[in-house]
Amino acid sequence: MKKAFYIVFTISILGIVSNCNTNSRTQNGKTTKNELNAKDSTQSSEKTELTKYDKKWVRYVDEGGNITHELELYISELGDTLNWSQRIYSNGVLDFTKSNFYDFEAKMAKDSVIKGRITLHLELDYTIEDPITEKEMTVDFVNKLNGKEDIITFKSKNQNYVDFEFKNDNDTIIGVLTEYRKIDLLKSPDSTRLIWSKLPIDSESQTDNLFIYVYELDKNKR
């Protein structure tokens, strides 16, 4: 019997990641894609001025002063407010079973090398009991070096974090984090569930993140 496939979208992207025709190469566990995810993305961004966002965490408290939840908001210059990450609290304690967010660690090493780790926390880890048969995390960064702009990619399998290390002309980091899961449903042995989660990554409080435009995250997540 053929398996039935269900596509499920979670906190980030509400549409499948588009396929990109790119020539890529792999070195030292990382993949680089030439000219901002090939020339198509670069040309598109040149024709359309990218929307600028103010990024900040907003905290909400109850009448007793206890934290109930925190939202990371992207507020555009046009007045739109977007949200992908949220931390939910129970009695003032962070509840990972209901939260969706990432921890971002990065430091500038010698010779303009940026090194760090992104750890992803999803409520999916607690709400879905079916076995994961395949899991991959990918982080794409805009890499500006020697007057050129590329997309540089780092991946990990069966982990909730991605390590990265690359040389950049400045310490501003713009990227996008994608997690893919393939899950076999116990109650429906002939069914497989596919889940994509996608979040923009920015190290600064103001950004014109290219990936929000490329993947139309502003249209799919309101």
Side-chain angles (χ1 to χ4, degrees):
M1 181 181 294
K2 294 183 178 179
K3 287 189 175 182
F5 292 91
Y6 298 91
I7 308 299
V8 179
F9 305 100
T10 57
I11 62 172
S12 331
I13 182 173
L14 303 167
I16 302 178
V17 179
S18 59
N19 293 323
C20 300
N21 295 321
T22 62
N23 295 320
S24 62
R25 59 188 175 85
T26 301
Q27 286 185 334
N28 300 326
K30 63 186 179 183
T31 301
T32 60
K33 302 176 185 176
N34 293 330
E35 298 303 327
L36 280 181
N37 213 14
K39 295 181 180 179
D40 293 342
S41 297
T42 304
Q43 292 172 349
S44 297
S45 64
E46 289 175 350
K47 294 178 181 179
T48 303
E49 185 176 352
L50 299 178
T51 302
K52 295 181 175 61
Y53 294 91
D54 287 322
K55 180 177 71 77
K56 63 180 180 180
W57 279 93
V58 177
R59 176 174 294 182
Y60 297 84
V61 298
D62 59 22
E63 295 180 353
N66 297 313
I67 303 174
T68 58
H69 61 287
E70 296 174 314
L71 301 179
E72 184 183 47
L73 303 180
Y74 278 69
I75 304 173
S76 80
E77 56 188 342
L78 304 176
D80 296 325
T81 300
L82 309 176
N83 166 246
W84 292 274
S85 298
Q86 61 180 359
R87 301 187 185 116
I88 305 300
Y89 291 80
S90 178
N91 296 321
V93 179
L94 180 60
D95 187 348
F96 286 92
T97 67
K98 298 179 181 178
S99 300
N100 298 294
F101 67 98
Y102 64 87
D103 290 323
F104 180 79
E105 303 174 37
K107 64 179 181 179
M108 182 72 77
K110 295 181 179 180
D111 300 323
S112 300
V113 174
I114 298 176
K115 183 177 182 180
R117 170 178 291 187
I118 297 177
T119 304
L120 182 62
H121 304 280
L122 293 179
E123 59 181 317
L124 289 175
D125 293 327
Y126 305 92
T127 58
I128 298 180
E129 297 180 354
D130 300 301
I132 299 174
T133 57
E134 186 177 345
K135 178 179 177 180
E136 181 176 276
M137 286 183 60
T138 302
V139 60
D140 297 301
F141 292 117
V142 176
N143 183 212
K144 298 182 179 181
L145 189 63
N146 299 326
K148 296 182 180 180
E149 292 187 351
D150 296 332
I151 294 296
I152 190 166
T153 300
F154 300 86
K155 297 183 178 182
S156 68
K157 288 184 178 293
N158 301 319
Q159 297 175 340
N160 71 328
Y161 64 87
V162 179
D163 291 323
F164 58 87
E165 182 175 352
F166 63 101
K167 194 170 184 178
N168 207 40
D169 282 341
N170 57 62
D171 58 359
T172 299
I173 298 177
I174 294 176
V176 63
L177 178 65
T178 303
E179 189 205 60
Y180 162 77
R181 299 185 185 205
K182 182 179 179 181
I183 299 172
D184 284 344
L185 303 180
L186 295 175
K187 294 183 179 180
S188 302
D190 295 318
S191 298
T192 296
R193 190 176 185 184
L194 307 179
I195 304 177
W196 280 268
S197 300
K198 188 175 289 289
L199 299 89
I201 303 293
D202 293 282
S203 62
E204 304 295 331
S205 60
Q206 292 185 324
T207 181
D208 54 356
N209 192 312
L210 170 67
F211 297 101
I212 295 177
Y213 169 78
V214 170
Y215 293 118
E216 298 186 325
L217 299 185
D218 54 335
K219 296 181 181 179
N220 293 314
K221 184 65 178 178
R222 303 231 179 234

